[in-house]
Amino acid sequence: MKFAILLNALLAGIPSIHGLSSPGHNCQDLIFRVTASAQNVLAKDPPVDFTNLTEVIAFLTQETKPNPVRGIYNISAQYCKPTIPIIVGGPKPIQLLIPGNSYNHTYFNGFDSSPVPGNTNSWASYALAQGYPTLSIDRLGSGLSSHPDPLNIVQAPLVADTVHQIIQQIRAGKQIPLPVLGERKIILVGHSFGSLIAAKISAEHPEDVDGIIHTGFAIRKPDQQPLLGQLASVYLQASTYSPKRFPPNVFVPGYLVATSKEGRRNTFYSAPEDFSATLYDKDFWLKDTLSLGEAITGQPLPTSLTYDKPTFVLTGRQDAVFCGNGSRELGIPDCGSGPNSQLAAVKVLYPAVPNRKFDTYSQEKAGHCNQMHYSAQDGFQRAHKFLAVQGL
């Protein structure tokens, strides 16, 4: 019922909604109303058949023109406070969680509506248990956030600016019940496309953040072509696939969903024995959309010339999206580990980050959605140990 009320409010354009109670303990659902602007690109001629590799490549590699955009958007979020007492060191930084394509903020909850203690696949639950407040968002064009034109509006530059505007509102104390931060620190935690957004913010607004954790992220090798396998997920227009869940008046053409359960699993997960089939069932049925604009602005990765703060890369060793050809069916991917891994290669994006502030962990027995595997807790522990060592 709450979902329907909030969705109707968003679609009706009702202004900022604050302090909606969440079923999770110590959590509140929020709407940030932001004015965002960016230099997008003007794209055209979207594919008719999203399983046709030639059509998709032609779309993604087309010559585009700059397209300045500006608008007012609602960004849905969930803010959770830790329940453990703070003994030493004062309040910990807020972790701002940015999900990837085809996911919304529930990804960081292990697909629960809010963080649940004991969910071993919930990043937010683990962070809260360590004393970190979390703010998980639905990216522009996903979840309960605004759904503007998916081709020329919902693109990486504008998505990044919506997150930047949220950070500005938090620091200015404009959003209740978040505290006025002042000197309190913010850590960006991104998954996949969310990691790209975190990288863009560090490049364009290095003062925004005090640390970054990239998950589901690495530097591809030249011979790795993820589109080959990703198309096996069989993307269709969302409103065609399920008009009841994705009403056509909101999810106009350009919002896509993966319709092949097996194809999506082979892209996002590792071997079947590495994860719960029940959890993947939940993943597939709760999947969100991918916008064409996000797809065409996913590359190149930005270089953060002046950002010099702690940065950690946590990726499943068998990540087919960044370390393979997009599907386990086309070969078992291997990101490697240590200084010669594809994770370590991310350092090239952060030339000003000292080596002592950069580290990686290649999570064994895990794929692109590393936190959805049985080894998730190992990855969570490594990332938070890094934060502790860095004084965050």
Side-chain angles (χ1 to χ4, degrees):
M1 178 65 70
K2 184 191 74 172
F3 181 95
I5 292 172
L6 183 52
L7 180 59
N8 289 337
L10 287 176
L11 300 183
I14 292 176
S16 186
I17 304 171
H18 301 278
L20 297 174
S21 62
S22 166
H25 65 84
N26 231 20
C27 295
Q28 288 184 285
D29 293 335
L30 308 170
I31 297 294
F32 288 88
R33 193 163 177 82
V34 301
T35 300
S37 60
Q39 186 79 291
N40 277 4
V41 299
L42 189 62
K44 58 182 181 179
D45 301 327
V48 175
D49 179 1
F50 292 97
T51 65
N52 185 311
L53 183 62
T54 301
E55 277 192 50
V56 174
I57 290 177
F59 170 72
L60 295 177
T61 59
Q62 67 178 278
E63 195 170 320
T64 59
K65 297 179 180 180
N67 181 31
V69 294
R70 180 181 176 86
I72 300 174
Y73 308 102
N74 290 329
I75 303 299
S76 178
Q78 185 175 77
Y79 175 62
C80 299
K81 295 183 290 185
T83 56
I84 66 170
I86 298 169
I87 300 174
V88 293
K92 289 189 176 181
I94 288 179
Q95 293 190 16
L96 201 167
L97 314 179
I98 313 170
N101 289 331
S102 81
Y103 290 106
N104 52 49
H105 79 277
T106 61
Y107 174 85
F108 289 103
N109 296 340
F111 304 126
D112 286 325
S113 59
S114 60
V116 174
N119 184 337
T120 57
N121 298 105
S122 169
W123 176 284
S125 295
Y126 190 95
L128 288 162
Q130 306 304 308
Y132 293 91
T134 61
L135 178 68
S136 52
I137 68 169
D138 294 338
R139 297 180 335 279
L140 182 68
S142 72
L144 294 177
S145 293
S146 296
H147 284 73
D149 171 26
L151 179 59
N152 287 311
I153 298 297
V154 186
Q155 296 183 2
L158 187 64
V159 173
D161 196 59
T162 62
V163 179
H164 166 64
Q165 298 302 328
I166 287 172
I167 293 172
Q168 295 304 299
Q169 286 193 26
I170 294 171
R171 291 202 184 279
K174 293 182 178 179
Q175 181 70 21
I176 299 171
L178 293 173
V180 178
L181 289 186
E183 295 302 316
R184 190 167 186 176
K185 296 179 178 179
I186 295 178
I187 299 166
L188 292 185
V189 181
H191 173 251
S192 193
F193 187 81
S195 281
L196 166 67
I197 298 304
K200 287 185 70 64
I201 291 170
S202 71
E204 298 168 6
H205 306 284
E207 71 286 352
D208 272 6
V209 295
D210 301 282
I212 293 175
I213 296 178
H214 292 296
T215 71
F217 194 64
I219 299 296
R220 294 189 182 105
K221 294 179 179 179
D223 62 343
Q224 292 171 340
Q225 303 296 328
L227 267 180
L228 295 174
Q230 287 175 313
L231 295 188
S233 293
V234 189
Y235 284 91
L236 296 178
Q237 302 289 353
S239 59
T240 300
Y241 171 71
S242 179
K244 184 175 181 180
R245 183 179 172 197
F246 303 108
N249 62 318
V250 178
F251 295 89
V252 299
Y255 284 109
L256 312 177
V257 289
T259 64
S260 169
K261 189 174 182 181
E262 180 182 8
R264 191 172 188 271
R265 183 184 65 234
N266 287 331
T267 292
F268 286 163
Y269 285 70
S270 61
E273 63 269 20
D274 295 339
F275 59 91
S276 162
T278 302
L279 181 69
Y280 178 65
D281 287 344
K282 196 172 184 179
D283 177 342
F284 186 75
W285 295 116
L286 292 176
K287 63 183 178 291
D288 211 301
T289 58
L290 158 72
S291 80
L292 283 176
E294 290 174 321
I296 202 169
T297 53
Q299 296 288 334
L301 299 177
T303 299
S304 304
L305 296 176
T306 62
Y307 171 85
D308 60 358
K309 297 163 189 174
T311 303
F312 190 79
V313 184
L314 168 64
T315 297
R317 183 156 185 167
Q318 295 183 25
D319 187 319
V321 174
F322 279 93
C323 303
N325 289 317
S327 172
R328 290 176 57 80
E329 290 294 294
L330 299 180
I332 306 303
D334 186 357
C335 294
S337 63
N340 295 319
S341 69
Q342 290 180 241
L343 284 68
V346 172
K347 179 66 171 67
V348 72
L349 304 179
Y350 297 100
V353 174
N355 289 335
R356 70 180 185 280
K357 293 185 178 182
F358 182 87
D359 205 356
T360 68
Y361 183 63
S362 187
Q363 184 180 318
E364 297 290 345
K365 297 184 177 182
H368 183 61
C369 295
N370 60 292
Q371 77 171 60
M372 300 309 164
H373 294 70
Y374 292 131
S375 59
Q377 291 284 306
D378 183 32
F380 297 166
Q381 182 181 21
R382 297 287 184 131
H384 286 83
K385 182 179 179 180
F386 172 81
L387 294 178
V389 169
Q390 298 295 326
L392 293 173

